[in-house]
Amino acid sequence: MAKDVNWSCEADVVVLGSGGAAMTAAIAAHDFGAKDVVILEKTGMVGGTTAMSGGMLWIPGNHHQIEAGIEEDDEDVVAYLDALAPGQLDPDTLMAFMETGPEMIRWFEDHTPVRFHAFADFPDYQPYMPGAKPDGGRSLDNEAFSFERLGKWAARVNPSKMAYPLRGSLMEATTGALDEAKLAEREAGDYRGLGQALAGSLFLGVVERGIPVEFETRARRLVKEEGRVIGVIAEDADGKDIAVRARRGVVIATGGFEWNESLVKTFLRGPLTGPVSVPENEGDGLLMAMEAGAQLGNMSHAYWMQSALEFKPQHRDAKPNYMLGSDERARPGAILVNRKGQRFVNEAANYNAIGKSLHAFDAGTHSYANLPYWLIIDQRYRDRYPTFNTPAGGPVPSYMIEGATLEELAEKAGIDPAGLAATVARFNEMVRGGHDDDFQRGDNSYDNFYMWGDTSYDPPFRTLGAIDQGPFFAVQMESGALGTAGGPKTNANAQVLDWNGDVIPGLYAAGNAMAAVLGEAYGGAGGTLGPGMTFGFIAGRHLGTHIPNR
């Protein structure tokens, strides 16, 4: 009971987690009136999965898009999302996202070090669907950010998941805008792009406001009094309980539950074997919300991503490190095959959509038809392109299987040899003919976009290329995820709802810890961070302007 709690400290607002949604909520709460804000972070680092990611935000109608001359129509946005997640969209929360997302972008650029620009030709992930933007505009890229501005705090930001540091924005990197002199200048100033830029600039906003981050402080249980959440019980690095009172409210922004095997098996609709997020995403926020009586939503969905096990654990607590597999499969000269050696998907499709194809169930064998699955490439590919964390032309890494012939490779990997040989022969024949008749790979603008192909070729050969120069190589892939998409349901103010649809006073959620506003839809680059930061902003603003101290 709350009466028995011996409060260790108190604040207006307590934010759980320190990823993009969490830091957004903390900054907004502070600036809109809740001056006493504290962040409780489970680890010794900030940034969560945001810092490890591409860092882009999908925000339809943002001012950068409009200034670039790319018009937006709300009806198109709704048509697009409804086509991707039929029957799953809540009108109130969807409208809150559509109205507040552009406002959030402008507000952060006006009040914090965060800076974005339109990646004008970055297409939506399903450009062939009604309401899509095949020529881009809805996805925002981060300006490069100098970590020198963080001073001593720079070492507190989670490292990137990318194999090589990116010293400029994503657009600069893909358009070749950085010459050697500019790149040297960026390296000297410790400039970073992608999620590093976003997490770093958000963290600077937190530091500049004097918002304390309590590291190594794991939130365990919410404290309620007469139905209202009034604080949280956390655990410090020594395992001792700390009771933090929240005069206005608590924001759950602790990420998803993809590293909690029990929750994954309970809720997800198919296997998740290789999460690429921070390993602390164990569903802490979900468990606390459930205990507090929160209604749940979207629990069977995740933000799927192909990944590969690096073998040697690199994460904290010796958890395995799974490498992102968003690029390798879609470059010329690469395919994905199942154990029969058969292709089963357009390898250049977006990662979330490919993830769903891995859950096809074969009733005849009572198994998942496309699990396990492998990336297949040849020597020409290895000479031309990097593969995961291995540079082009580098030594064969331990996670890669090699065979002088396709049949030998298949035997070593556990793939049907005849099936693989037949599949590669047919694929090569289609490549020579200039069209993928089986899966239409290369037929749309997304398939042929920058990092998923080779811009020295014209479409469709930015993504289509023969596999015919031995030796040949295979990498066993995982059914990975950037994070899960389910959690406590909220209203348009980011307030958590109970099973009767009533607000649980004092409790808010944002990011991957909440039921995804867009259901299973993943509109484009930044399809998680865009809604996540928008609802972090909504939560912080509502706490700052509508909730009095108690």
Side-chain angles (χ1 to χ4, degrees):
M1 296 292 291
K3 296 176 183 177
D4 302 324
V5 175
N6 183 19
W7 300 109
S8 307
C9 57
E10 60 182 72
D12 292 346
V13 175
V14 179
V15 178
L16 311 182
S18 69
M23 289 193 284
T24 298
I27 291 170
H30 176 277
D31 283 19
F32 281 99
K35 298 304 181 185
D36 190 3
V37 180
V38 63
I39 294 173
L40 305 188
E41 167 52 42
K42 180 178 181 178
T43 75
M45 309 286 281
V46 301
T49 302
T50 299
M52 304 168 70
S53 74
M56 298 187 75
L57 274 69
W58 192 77
I59 303 287
N62 66 79
H63 69 277
H64 291 291
Q65 171 188 343
I66 305 306
E67 290 167 0
I70 304 169
E71 296 299 323
E72 188 59 273
D73 186 317
D74 286 352
E75 291 185 2
D76 284 344
V77 179
V78 174
Y80 179 56
L81 293 172
D82 192 52
L84 297 180
Q88 299 175 28
L89 304 178
D90 173 72
D92 292 337
T93 52
L94 175 61
M95 186 58 64
F97 166 63
M98 292 171 58
E99 289 181 348
T100 312
E103 181 184 354
M104 180 270 295
I105 295 297
R106 190 180 292 276
W107 188 90
F108 264 87
E109 291 189 327
D110 288 344
H111 296 87
T112 76
V114 178
R115 296 291 181 271
F116 299 105
H117 58 254
F119 206 146
D121 57 348
F122 202 134
D124 282 344
Y125 276 3
Q126 289 82 198
Y128 43 84
M129 299 294 278
K133 289 286 185 188
D135 299 321
R138 291 169 174 163
S139 291
L140 291 172
D141 189 14
N142 294 275
E143 297 288 349
F145 175 78
S146 171
F147 267 51
E148 285 188 346
R149 297 175 65 184
L150 282 168
K152 67 178 183 178
W153 297 108
R156 286 287 195 175
V157 180
N158 262 329
S160 176
K161 194 78 173 182
M162 309 303 170
Y164 309 101
L166 192 62
R167 298 300 184 184
S169 70
L170 195 56
M171 188 165 67
E172 287 177 322
T174 57
T175 57
L178 295 177
D179 57 25
E180 290 188 10
K182 190 67 174 176
L183 185 59
E185 179 184 324
R186 292 283 180 84
E187 289 179 347
D190 196 11
Y191 278 83
R192 307 183 197 181
L194 303 175
Q196 289 283 285
L198 180 56
S201 56
L202 281 170
F203 189 34
L204 181 57
V206 168
V207 171
E208 288 177 338
R209 285 161 174 78
I211 299 173
V213 179
E214 298 297 332
F215 292 104
E216 305 289 349
T217 304
R218 182 178 189 175
R220 287 292 198 179
R221 180 169 57 88
L222 299 170
V223 181
K224 295 177 73 176
E225 183 177 71
E226 298 179 354
R228 180 184 184 87
V229 172
I230 63 167
V232 60
I233 305 298
E235 184 181 277
D236 68 12
D238 297 322
K240 187 175 79 171
D241 282 351
I242 300 172
V244 184
R245 181 170 180 258
R247 291 186 289 262
R248 298 194 183 198
V250 174
V251 182
I252 295 175
T254 52
F257 58 87
E258 60 274 10
W259 285 91
N260 187 315
E261 185 177 356
S262 177
L263 292 176
V264 164
K265 289 181 177 179
T266 298
F267 289 114
L268 292 186
R269 65 182 179 186
L272 194 168
T273 59
V276 296
S277 60
V278 290
E280 291 80 19
N281 286 357
E282 298 171 298
D284 293 3
L286 171 62
L287 295 171
M288 285 185 282
M290 290 169 64
E291 186 179 9
Q295 181 182 166
L296 304 182
N298 211 47
M299 293 302 297
S300 63
H301 300 299
Y303 302 114
W304 302 104
M305 165 62 76
Q306 296 67 64
S307 64
L309 178 61
E310 194 177 19
F311 292 116
K312 56 182 180 181
Q314 288 190 350
H315 279 314
R316 296 174 286 272
D317 299 326
K319 290 185 178 179
N321 182 51
Y322 294 97
M323 302 174 291
L324 285 164
S326 60
D327 301 1
E328 289 76 10
R329 57 186 165 73
R331 297 193 186 108
I335 58 173
L336 296 175
V337 302
N338 57 26
R339 58 182 173 273
K340 293 182 179 179
Q342 299 171 345
R343 293 177 68 212
F344 55 90
V345 73
N346 167 9
E347 293 91 347
N350 76 83
Y351 41 84
N352 186 56
I354 288 180
K356 296 176 183 179
S357 73
L358 299 175
H359 299 148
F361 195 75
D362 184 341
T365 62
H366 206 76
S367 64
Y368 289 98
N370 300 322
L371 290 172
Y373 71 114
W374 292 262
L375 172 77
I376 305 296
I377 58 176
D378 65 1
Q379 186 61 49
R380 176 169 47 216
Y381 181 106
R382 289 217 333 112
D383 289 342
R384 188 177 183 102
Y385 305 111
T387 311
F388 303 107
N389 58 5
T390 303
V396 179
S398 59
Y399 55 78
M400 195 174 287
I401 304 166
E402 179 179 356
T405 65
L406 287 167
E407 290 81 2
E408 179 184 327
L409 178 69
E411 290 283 359
K412 289 183 176 180
I415 305 169
D416 178 68
L420 179 61
T423 292
V424 171
R426 172 161 176 77
F427 182 72
N428 289 345
E429 180 182 359
M430 292 189 294
V431 170
R432 288 190 289 270
H435 187 259
D436 177 7
D437 296 335
D438 292 344
F439 296 100
Q440 294 71 54
R441 176 172 163 184
D443 281 8
N444 65 70
S445 58
Y446 178 82
D447 287 3
N448 291 288
F449 194 60
Y450 75 110
M451 67 179 177
W452 285 274
D454 187 333
T455 54
S456 63
Y457 297 133
D458 292 327
F461 296 103
R462 288 185 183 178
T463 186
L464 292 180
I467 305 171
D468 58 8
Q469 182 177 316
F472 302 93
F473 304 89
V475 178
Q476 184 166 340
M477 304 292 289
E478 303 288 337
S479 176
L482 297 168
T484 50
K489 291 195 71 171
T490 71
N491 63 12
N493 295 320
Q495 294 170 292
V496 173
L497 304 175
D498 66 17
W499 284 102
N500 293 318
D502 297 323
V503 167
I504 299 177
L507 186 60
Y508 295 71
N512 289 1
M514 69 178 280
V517 178
L518 306 184
E520 66 177 310
Y522 202 110
T528 56
L529 275 171
M533 285 184 59
T534 298
F535 269 76
F537 179 75
I538 289 171
R541 183 176 62 182
H542 194 264
L543 279 159
T545 58
H546 288 76
I547 309 299
N549 287 340
R550 296 175 65 87

